[in-house]
Amino acid sequence: MNFPHTKREEVIDEMFGIKIADPYRWLEDGSNPLVKEWTEAQNVYTDANIKGETFDIISDELVKNFNVTTFSNPTIRKGKYFYYERQPNEDHSVFYMKVGIDGVPIKLVDPNGMNAGNISSLDFCVPSRAGVYVAYGLQQGGNEMPTLYIKNVDTRENLDDVIPRCLGGVTWLPDDTGFFYKRYPAPGSVLKNEEHLHMKVYLHHLGDSPENDELIFGEGRPKDDMIMLKSSVDGRYLAISASQKWTENDIYIYEQETKKTTPFVVAISARFAVFFLKDKIIIRTNYKANNYRVLSMPIESMFAPIDEWKEIIPEQEHALVGVSPTKDKLLLEYLVNACSKVEIFDHTGERQGEISLPPYSTLNEISTYCEEKEFFYGVSSFTHTQTTYRYIPDEDIFVQYRKIENPIDPDDYVVKQEWYVSKDGTRIPLFIFHRKDIAPNIAHPTVLFGYGGFGIVKSPGFMRGFVPWMERGGIYALANIRGGGEFGENWHRAAMGEKKQNSFDDFIAASEYLIAQGYTSPEHLGILGGSNGGLLVSVVAVQRPELFGAVCSRVPLTDMVRFPLFGMALRWVHEYGDPKKEAELKNILTWSPYHNVKAGVEYPNFLFTTGENDNRVDPLHSRKMTALLQSVNKKNEILLFTEKDAGHGSGKPVKKMVESQALLLTFFAKKLGLKV
C-alpha cells in the first residue's frame, strides 16, 4: 500500500521486567509541527481514497435528512418553558423560552454565526429557579472546557459574570442570587495533561468576581474526582457526589447556613444517586441490589445509617436506570432486555401505573422538576424519530406534544431482537434492523455496533445518519455486550479490569452469530464503535482479523499502557486496569490493540476518526494505531481522518456531522459492497 510515510523510532520501555515497544511515540505530541504535517498528509490520503461520486451522493442525502427541525423537551420554571431547538439549515441548537405552553418562542442564546467556521456551541443552559436568569456554557471547536455566562431572561442581556473552565451546568440557589458550579484549574496551575483533573466546587454570587468565589469542595481531594451536585428544594442542603471509580461513589452534604460539609454515605462499594423532595430525601442505589432500588428518609433524619433507611421501591426483575421526581410523583425507568419501561409511583413508593411505550423503544429524555406536576418525555426507536409527550396534571392525561420529521416509512422495516451465546456460555441480546423487502444472505453488507463499558446502556434509537445505508438495504446490528449496564451492575462488572476480555469475546460471538445465521459473511461484515467502543472494535479486529471486512473506530483508545497519562483518562484506570500495577499491566498487555499488532498479519480495512481538540480521548491513540497498522498491512486500507475544530463529538456543527458520517458510510459501502 502507498500509505503516507511515517518514521519509526526504537523506543522501548521496561516495566516490571517486561520490554514494551512504542515505535510511534513521537506522534503523541499534537503540537509538534511534524505531527501536524503527518496528520494533514493522512487527511489528504483519506480524502483521495474515500471522497468522490459515492461520497457526494451520500453527503447530499445526509444534508437533506439533517435539514429538519429538532428540539428538546421543555423545562418548566414558574410558568416559563425553556427548550433547545434547531431549525433547518442551522448548524447548532438555539435556546428558547416561552411564557405558557402556547406562548410565543423567544430566542435567548443562539451560537450560530458567533465566529468563523461556526465552531461555538452550547454545552449547557440552566434556567434559575424562578426563571429570571439562564446560565449557559459555550464551548469552542468541541473543547470540553466551556465558558459560563449569565443572561437575564426578560432583558435578553448578559450580566458581567463570566467564568471560564466550567463543567456540566450549575445548581441555582432558590432566590436566584447565585449558584454552585464545578470548575477546572487555571492553565499553568497544575501539571501538563492534568488540566481536566482537579475538579472543585464553588459558590458564585451574581455580580461577584469568580476569583472571589467560595471554594465549597475539592481541596485536598483525589485529582481524579468525578463530581455531581444536587440541591434541596429549600436550598439549605447541597448533596455532593464524589467518586474515582465507576462502580461506587461517596456522598457529602454541604449545609448553607453553617458552611459545614458532612459525610453522608461514604466507603460503601455501591452507587448512590440522591434526590431531594420537599420534606424527604430519596436514594437510587445498587447497595444490596444489583438492579437498584429506592430508599427514603425524612430530611431531618437523613444522616441515619443507610441500613436504617426505608426501602420504598424494592429491587425489581429488571435494572432501574433512572429516577425522575415531580412534585407528587416518582417516574422510574427500567430496562427490559435493553428497552425502556416507565413505571409511576407516588412519593411513598405506592405504584400508580405505567407509561405506555412502543415495542423496542427508548426513553430518550424525561424532563421533570420537583416543584412542578407537569412533565415531558421523549421516545424513539430504530424506526421512529423522537416523539415528545406532555403530561397534563389537571386532566391526568398524556398528549403528543411534538414530533420530529421521519425520513423513512417505519412500515418498510423490521426490527428483531435475537439472542446468542458468548464464549463462556453467557446469553447476549442482539438487535437486528433492516428493510422488510430484503432477504439477508452471506453477501449482505452489515454493520455491527457495540460499546460495552462504564455501565453505559445502548438501546434502540433513531439513526438519522444511517438512513442512506438502511434505505439501500444495508443491515444494522447492535450487540448489548457485557461492560454496559443493560442488566444491572453485575453486567458491568463482568467486563471490567481483569475481566475486560469478556466484552471482546461477546462482540466476537455476535459477529460469528451474524455469519452463522446467514445474515452476512466476513468480507461483508463491518464493525463500528466510538470512544470505549472504538477501543472495542480495534481490539477485536486485532484479535480476529479474518472475521471482518471493515472497521470504523471513532475517537478510540488504543495504547492502553500509556492512556492514563493524557487528559482526563486517569479516571478510567478503575475500568480498564492500572498499567502502573504489575498484574494489571500484564492483563492489559494481553488485549491492548497497539501492543498486539503483529508483522505478517493482514488486518481488515480500517477507518480511524478523531478530533484535534479531543480532550476526552487524546487523538494520539488514533495516530499511533494508524501508523502501526499501516506499517504491517500490504493489501487492506488503513485510513485516518482528523477533524479540525472538533473534539470528542459534542458541539459539532451539522456540516461536520454530515462530512464525518458520509466518510463512514462511503468507507463501509466501498469495503463491504453496498451499491450506492
Side-chain angles (χ1 to χ4, degrees):
M1 300 298 293
N2 190 28
F3 298 122
H5 173 71
T6 308
K7 69 176 180 178
R8 184 183 179 99
E9 299 178 341
E10 288 301 313
V11 176
I12 298 177
D13 293 324
E14 186 167 332
M15 301 174 68
F16 305 108
I18 305 169
K19 292 184 177 180
I20 304 171
D22 189 2
Y24 299 105
R25 183 171 295 178
W26 71 275
L27 286 172
E28 289 182 351
D29 184 4
S31 64
N32 184 332
L34 292 177
V35 174
K36 290 179 180 292
E37 182 180 319
W38 180 90
T39 300
E40 182 58 30
Q42 293 288 342
N43 274 4
V44 170
Y45 182 77
T46 297
D47 284 353
N49 279 273
I50 295 184
K51 291 187 176 178
E53 183 180 1
T54 299
F55 175 86
D56 292 340
I57 291 170
I58 291 175
S59 292
D60 289 344
E61 291 184 17
L62 289 171
V63 168
K64 187 182 300 182
N65 288 335
F66 277 92
N67 195 26
V68 297
T69 300
T70 61
F71 49 83
S72 70
N73 292 343
T75 297
I76 311 170
R77 294 293 187 274
K78 303 292 185 182
K80 296 176 181 177
Y81 294 75
F82 296 86
Y83 60 99
Y84 296 91
E85 185 169 309
R86 183 182 65 80
Q87 298 291 337
N89 301 315
E90 286 184 331
D91 266 330
H92 299 287
S93 292
V94 177
F95 196 61
Y96 290 86
M97 182 274 292
K98 57 184 180 181
V99 179
I101 192 66
D102 297 317
V104 177
I106 297 171
K107 187 180 293 188
L108 292 180
V109 188
D110 183 359
N112 292 287
M114 280 189 171
N115 47 36
N118 217 6
I119 61 172
S120 292
S121 62
L122 289 171
D123 185 85
F124 60 83
C125 290
V126 184
S128 62
R129 295 280 195 100
V132 175
Y133 304 103
V134 59
Y136 65 95
L138 279 177
Q139 62 170 256
Q140 306 296 325
N143 188 307
E144 297 182 44
M145 282 277 208
T147 299
L148 183 148
Y149 302 87
I150 308 295
K151 177 161 286 191
N152 184 302
V153 170
D154 294 327
T155 66
R156 263 86 79 193
E157 293 182 352
N158 274 4
L159 306 188
D160 293 333
D161 308 59
V162 177
I163 307 175
R165 305 179 307 282
C166 288
L167 178 71
V170 307
T171 302
W172 282 93
L173 298 175
D175 59 4
D176 286 14
T177 60
F179 49 80
F180 298 97
Y181 70 98
K182 297 171 289 183
R183 190 171 79 203
Y184 283 130
S189 64
V190 295
L191 297 175
K192 185 181 179 182
N193 285 319
E194 292 191 1
E195 297 88 350
H196 289 82
L197 301 171
H198 304 279
M199 186 189 301
K200 291 181 173 58
V201 179
Y202 295 86
L203 173 60
H204 176 76
H205 293 284
L206 296 184
D208 287 355
S209 168
E211 287 75 19
N212 297 327
D213 287 349
E214 181 182 351
L215 175 61
I216 300 298
F217 186 85
E219 191 65 40
R221 294 282 307 173
K223 62 184 176 183
D224 55 338
D225 255 353
M226 296 176 283
I227 298 174
M228 297 183 68
L229 308 176
K230 189 83 69 172
S231 176
S232 62
V233 177
D234 61 8
R236 180 179 176 183
Y237 300 107
L238 179 73
I240 303 170
S241 168
S243 61
Q244 301 85 51
K245 299 181 180 180
W246 297 83
T247 55
E248 60 190 63
N249 63 311
D250 295 333
I251 306 287
Y252 300 85
I253 300 293
Y254 172 80
E255 190 169 358
Q256 269 270 70
E257 293 178 3
T258 64
K259 299 186 182 300
K260 181 181 178 182
T261 300
T262 305
F264 179 59
V265 181
V266 297
I268 297 177
S269 184
R271 296 290 304 178
F272 299 88
V274 169
F275 303 89
F276 286 100
L277 306 179
K278 186 174 182 180
D279 58 353
K280 66 180 68 174
I281 183 170
I282 63 170
I283 292 177
R284 168 187 168 266
T285 182
N286 62 357
Y287 174 59
K288 298 183 178 180
N290 171 62
N291 285 335
Y292 290 84
R293 58 185 176 139
V294 180
L295 310 178
S296 176
M297 183 64 78
I299 286 182
E300 62 269 19
S301 305
M302 65 180 173
F303 288 105
I306 196 70
D307 286 317
E308 296 180 12
W309 282 52
K310 181 181 180 182
E311 180 183 78
I312 60 170
I313 305 175
E315 178 184 13
Q316 307 291 332
E317 176 186 0
H318 304 292
L320 170 61
V321 294
V323 176
S324 301
T326 73
K327 192 172 185 177
D328 60 350
K329 291 179 172 57
L330 298 175
L331 308 178
L332 272 62
E333 181 190 0
Y334 291 92
L335 282 182
V336 181
N337 296 334
C339 299
S340 296
K341 176 184 179 182
V342 181
E343 296 193 1
I344 306 172
F345 297 81
D346 65 18
H347 286 182
T348 69
E350 190 73 25
R351 190 178 186 278
Q352 295 185 332
E354 183 176 331
I355 295 178
S356 178
L357 301 180
Y360 298 139
S361 66
T362 299
L363 186 71
N364 281 354
E365 183 184 12
I366 189 161
S367 300
T368 63
Y369 184 45
C370 62
E371 296 187 69
E372 298 282 351
K373 295 182 179 180
E374 182 181 358
F375 62 88
F376 297 82
Y377 68 92
V379 183
S380 73
S381 66
F382 286 124
T383 55
H384 289 84
T385 55
Q386 176 164 316
T387 301
T388 296
Y389 295 87
R390 176 189 176 213
Y391 174 68
I392 305 175
D394 291 343
E395 303 175 48
D396 193 25
I397 60 171
F398 296 94
V399 297
Q400 183 173 310
Y401 179 63
R402 298 184 74 176
K403 187 174 184 178
I404 297 176
E405 179 184 332
N406 195 340
I408 66 171
D409 184 346
D411 292 336
D412 292 342
Y413 287 85
V414 61
V415 178
K416 297 175 281 186
Q417 187 178 51
E418 301 184 7
W419 293 75
Y420 65 92
V421 178
S422 189
K423 183 178 180 179
D424 64 356
T426 302
R427 294 179 72 244
I428 313 289
L430 176 70
F431 289 105
I432 302 172
F433 172 41
H434 59 78
R435 267 196 359 227
K436 281 182 180 177
D437 61 349
I438 69 162
N441 57 64
I442 61 171
H444 220 92
T446 300
V447 172
L448 172 64
F449 175 87
Y451 189 82
F454 299 94
I456 292 173
V457 174
K458 294 297 180 181
S459 295
F462 193 77
M463 301 176 298
R464 191 170 293 273
F466 262 87
V467 169
W469 179 265
M470 306 307 302
E471 289 282 74
R472 286 174 172 80
I475 295 176
Y476 183 91
L478 164 62
N480 295 115
I481 62 178
R482 283 174 288 181
E486 289 85 353
F487 298 97
E489 182 57 29
N490 290 342
W491 197 254
H492 172 209
R493 290 177 185 248
M496 281 179 56
E498 73 279 3
K499 299 177 182 178
K500 188 60 187 168
Q501 182 63 40
N502 282 338
S503 64
F504 310 137
D505 289 341
D506 291 353
F507 198 69
I508 289 170
S511 306
E512 293 174 330
Y513 176 86
L514 289 168
I515 294 167
Q517 296 300 310
Y519 282 104
T520 190
S521 56
E523 58 266 39
H524 299 288
L525 176 59
I527 51 176
L528 169 67
S531 196
N532 175 78
L535 167 67
L536 166 74
V537 297
S538 298
V539 170
V540 300
V542 168
Q543 292 185 354
R544 294 290 303 277
E546 81 288 353
L547 202 55
F548 312 105
V551 182
C552 182
S553 179
R554 290 178 146 174
V555 292
L557 292 143
T558 61
D559 181 347
M560 301 308 292
V561 171
R562 289 174 60 79
F563 83 92
L565 303 177
F566 303 94
M568 61 182 70
L570 180 64
R571 296 188 175 116
W572 308 332
V573 296
H574 304 290
E575 185 77 13
Y576 299 124
D578 187 349
K580 292 183 178 179
K581 298 177 180 178
E582 182 176 1
E584 295 181 27
L585 171 67
K586 288 180 177 178
N587 179 63
I588 286 170
L589 285 172
T590 65
W591 55 261
S592 173
Y594 183 68
H595 300 93
N596 282 279
V597 172
K598 296 178 175 61
V601 176
E602 187 70 21
Y603 293 95
N605 297 286
F606 258 92
L607 171 63
F608 292 98
T609 65
T610 187
E612 65 177 3
N613 294 335
D614 192 340
N615 39 37
R616 186 169 291 267
V617 177
D618 196 293
L620 69 89
H621 291 277
S622 294
R623 292 193 292 261
K624 292 172 70 172
M625 194 67 181
T626 295
L628 184 58
L629 287 171
Q630 287 181 347
S631 74
V632 300
N633 261 24
K634 307 300 181 186
K635 181 181 67 173
N636 292 330
E637 290 284 8
I638 306 296
L639 305 172
L640 170 64
F641 177 66
T642 303
E643 289 186 278
K644 297 179 180 179
D645 295 321
H648 199 60
S650 68
K652 274 189 187 179
V654 169
K655 60 190 175 189
K656 284 187 176 293
M657 293 183 196
V658 166
E659 181 184 25
S660 61
Q661 188 66 13
L663 283 169
L664 179 153
L665 292 181
T666 304
F667 169 73
F668 277 142
K670 287 185 173 183
K671 302 305 180 185
L672 304 179
L674 185 78
K675 295 180 180 179
V676 177

